[in-house]
Amino acid sequence: MQTGFAYTKFADRLASIAELSASDLDLLAKMPFSIRHFASHENIWRKGDQPNCCCLLLQGYLCWKDADNVGGQITSIYVAGDVPDIQMLKWPRAEANLSTLGPAVVAFVPHAFFHEVASVSPSLSRALSLLSLADAASLRNWIINLGSRDSLTRVAYLICEIALRLRAVGQARDYRFPSPFTQSDLAAACGISAVHANRIIQELRRKRLLHWQSKMITIVDWRALVHLAGFNPDYLHLREPKPSELELLKPAAPEEAAASAPH
């Protein structure tokens, strides 16, 4: 792991939601951390744990998983640069299991560091607050996804969200990224069976919206996938995308959608 990698990932994530000054970046560069590698589907925190540090995800994917549910319902997914337990700065107790989805690399950062930088930098304090607000907004949207969308739309929406979050931190530039899911994980995230998850993947392939081969997802038609999902990224609290990306997020016109539909 190269020197400064943890700092770079965290700075990229904060810069995706807030404007940071040179002095803010200098403060972040002093971040103390220790790095650990985790295997697939390994718990980082278990329900009831009371850590004194936060997890900064450097590589891979993490999720919060219901510890009391036999099927292990997944309630949120995190990408590189995220701090999935940022809320524990206020209440240092895990209410579920924080687990890996595939192998992951995590930096552990003391709570004291976050409190210190927030006390000396109003912009970093705001950025950390926005990080918590974005997490809460994502959870609300997760509930809507499970309660109001059909299974095909749920999966499409989740893939759109993950792709855009990865792009915000400089990854998935070509809409190609490592899959965070096994079929069982996808089922647990979308409230469907593993068999049905496989059918949905095949349907998205048939519609020529994405390729999902082994452990890699490639979005073939981003605009059509956004249209299918009805995806609106406002809840992610990301700073304004580039104009070209704003165009891609607009729903296709009816005649364009008909022209691009597979025959």
Side-chain angles (χ1 to χ4, degrees), residues 13 16 50 73 106 118 120 145 178 181 192 212 235 259:
R13 178 64 180 107
S16 74
Q50 296 179 311
Q73 174 71 50
V106 174
V120 298
N145 207 33
F181 313 110
I192 56 181
W212 194 322
Y235 68 98

Side-chain angles (χ1 to χ4, degrees), residues 66-249:
D66 183 5
D68 300 323
N69 187 301
V70 175
Q73 174 71 50
I74 291 173
T75 57
S76 53
I77 292 175
Y78 299 89
V79 305
D82 282 339
V83 183
D85 50 359
I86 190 74
Q87 73 281 356
M88 287 203 279
L89 290 175
K90 302 294 185 182
W91 178 255
R93 180 183 175 88
E95 302 295 340
N97 290 347
L98 181 61
S99 305
T100 62
L101 291 169
V105 182
V106 174
F108 291 91
V109 184
H111 287 173
F113 170 78
F114 294 102
H115 292 306
E116 180 182 353
V117 297
S119 68
V120 298
S121 169
S123 54
L124 281 178
S125 177
R126 179 176 180 273
L128 292 173
S129 295
L130 286 174
L131 210 58
S132 292
L133 288 172
D135 200 30
S138 291
L139 180 57
R140 286 193 295 272
N141 194 72
W142 198 281
I143 294 169
I144 293 170
N145 207 33
L146 291 176
S148 302
R149 300 181 179 117
D150 62 40
S151 54
L152 179 63
T153 307
R154 289 181 204 175
V155 174
Y157 205 101
L158 185 56
I159 292 172
C160 286
E161 176 185 312
I162 290 172
L164 199 61
R165 287 166 60 191
L166 286 170
R167 286 174 66 84
V169 292
Q171 300 182 32
R173 294 180 187 274
D174 55 357
Y175 294 104
R176 185 172 186 267
F177 51 93
S179 170
F181 313 110
T182 63
Q183 287 182 15
S184 295
D185 293 331
L186 181 60
C190 293
I192 56 181
S193 70
V195 171
H196 194 39
N198 181 59
R199 293 195 188 110
I200 295 299
I201 294 169
Q202 297 306 321
E203 178 68 6
L204 291 171
R205 284 174 175 160
R206 188 189 67 77
K207 290 178 177 291
R208 300 174 189 169
L209 298 180
L210 55 79
H211 293 309
W212 194 322
Q213 296 179 330
S214 185
K215 297 181 180 180
M216 189 66 63
I217 296 174
T218 303
I219 298 175
V220 177
D221 191 335
W222 168 252
R223 189 170 180 178
L225 189 66
V226 166
H227 181 69
L228 171 67
F231 180 66
N232 183 334
D234 290 350
Y235 68 98
L236 296 175
H237 293 271
L238 297 174
R239 296 172 72 188
E240 279 297 306
K242 297 176 183 177
S244 59
E245 292 189 353
L246 286 172
E247 284 298 316
L248 286 170
L249 286 168

